[in-house]
């Protein structure tokens, strides 16, 4: 006799792990686009990328994918980099 609850828990964990990895990857990609725009000194593109990144960071923190302090720290550093463009 197998432990069905353990098997189900393993399936749920695998689904959640893939969802969390996808969310983190999306956030990292958005941040990289922002950093590329800052490096190119493209203020308009940087502002768009920053807005998208902030939204994704807030969503990830709200869903427990990232800790809220981590999201806040990343947003703060991004805003600081954006302010240097002006």
């Amino acid at each position: 006799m197998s432990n069905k609850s353990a098997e189900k828990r393993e399936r749920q964990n695998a689904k959640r792990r893939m969802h969390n990895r996808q969310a983190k990857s999306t956030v990292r990609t958005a941040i990289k686009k922002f950093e590329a725009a800052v490096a190119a000194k493209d203020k308009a593109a940087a502002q768009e990328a920053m807005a998208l990144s902030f939204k994704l960071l807030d969503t990830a923190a709200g869903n427990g994918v990232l800790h809220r302090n981590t999201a806040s720290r990343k947003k703060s550093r991004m805003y600081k980099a954006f302010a240097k463009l002006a």
Side-chain angles (χ1 to χ4, degrees):
M1 187 170 158
S2 63
N3 191 344
K4 291 193 184 292
S5 62
E7 291 170 5
K8 180 177 179 180
R9 178 60 65 190
E10 191 56 38
R11 288 194 308 269
Q12 289 173 328
N13 288 340
K15 271 187 197 174
R16 289 190 180 109
R17 187 166 49 249
M18 291 307 295
H19 180 266
N20 291 343
R21 284 181 66 182
Q22 181 184 10
K24 284 183 196 176
S25 176
T26 306
V27 168
R28 282 194 297 259
T29 302
I31 291 172
K32 283 180 188 175
K33 285 183 182 176
F34 168 78
E35 290 170 348
V38 168
K41 302 209 184 298
D42 186 355
K43 193 169 183 178
Q47 191 165 15
E48 282 182 34
M50 186 171 69
L52 176 63
S53 298
F54 280 13
K55 181 179 182 223
L56 292 172
L57 282 166
D58 288 336
T59 303
N63 290 336
V65 176
L66 294 175
H67 194 277
R68 59 190 167 84
N69 290 353
T70 302
S72 181
R73 182 181 66 244
K74 288 181 183 295
K75 285 168 54 175
S76 175
R77 289 178 181 170
M78 288 172 71
Y79 190 78
K80 208 175 193 181
F82 179 74
K84 283 185 180 178
L85 284 178

